Each structure stands twice: as structure tokens, then as C-alpha cells.
């Protein structure tokens, strides 16, 4: 069974907007800002990474998520 790549686009758009506004946030801070659990936030983040809209930079403990601006 193949699940759709974007299962919850509204929440993912909200997460993308937060990352554009506050680059470098970690998953727990993003979860706090969208009032969701950390596993739920990570699911949204992983989907956005798979879509190549964001990327994780840095070490696992102190890294954060950044928007992949469109390449020209």
C-alpha cells in the first residue's frame, strides 16, 4: 500500500511557513509552534524533506530545518 506523499498539506504548509520565517528551528520547537506532538511534527518535516522543500542542516542534537529556496 503506497501512502500519498502529501497526506496533510495544510499542516505542512504551516510548517513550511514557520521554517521560512524562522530558519534553523528543530523539530521540538516546530511541534510547539504548531501545537502538535513531536512525532507528528517530524512526520510533516520528513514529508517536506522528501519533497525537497526543506533540508536538515547540522548535527542531530543541535541542527535545524531550512527552506530550500528554488534554484534558478
Amino acid at each position: 500500500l503506497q501512502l500519498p506523499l502529501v497526506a496533510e498539506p495544510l499542516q505542512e504548509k504551516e510548517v513550511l511557513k514557520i521554517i521560512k520565517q524562522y530558519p534553523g528551528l528543530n523539530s521540538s520547537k516546530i511541534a510547539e509552534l504548531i501545537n502538535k506532538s513531536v512525532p507528528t511534527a517530524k512526520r510533516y518535516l520528513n514529508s517536506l524533506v522528501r519533497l525537497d522543500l526543506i533540508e536538515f542542516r547540522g548535527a542531530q542534537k543541535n541542527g535545524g530545518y531550512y527552506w530550500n529556496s528554488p534554484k534558478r
Side-chain angles (χ1 to χ4, degrees):
L1 178 68
Q2 183 75 26
L3 294 174
L5 209 52
V6 180
E8 298 163 82
L10 286 176
Q11 288 87 347
E12 288 174 2
K13 279 185 184 172
E14 187 180 350
V15 169
L16 188 57
K17 194 169 90 177
I18 288 168
I19 291 169
K20 284 180 183 179
Q21 202 170 358
Y22 305 105
L25 291 180
N26 62 22
S27 55
S28 58
K29 190 64 183 168
I30 291 168
E32 197 178 304
L33 290 171
I34 62 171
N35 294 316
K36 300 283 184 192
S37 68
V38 173
T40 298
K42 283 186 177 182
R43 192 170 67 243
Y44 300 154
L45 291 164
N46 287 336
S47 178
L48 291 168
V49 167
R50 280 196 310 273
L51 291 168
D52 203 31
L53 295 172
I54 63 171
E55 65 181 1
F56 184 85
R57 295 186 203 152
Q60 204 60 39
K61 279 196 178 273
N62 59 7
Y65 289 90
Y66 293 84
W67 179 50
N68 276 338
S69 55
K71 283 119 181 121
R72 295 184 181 248

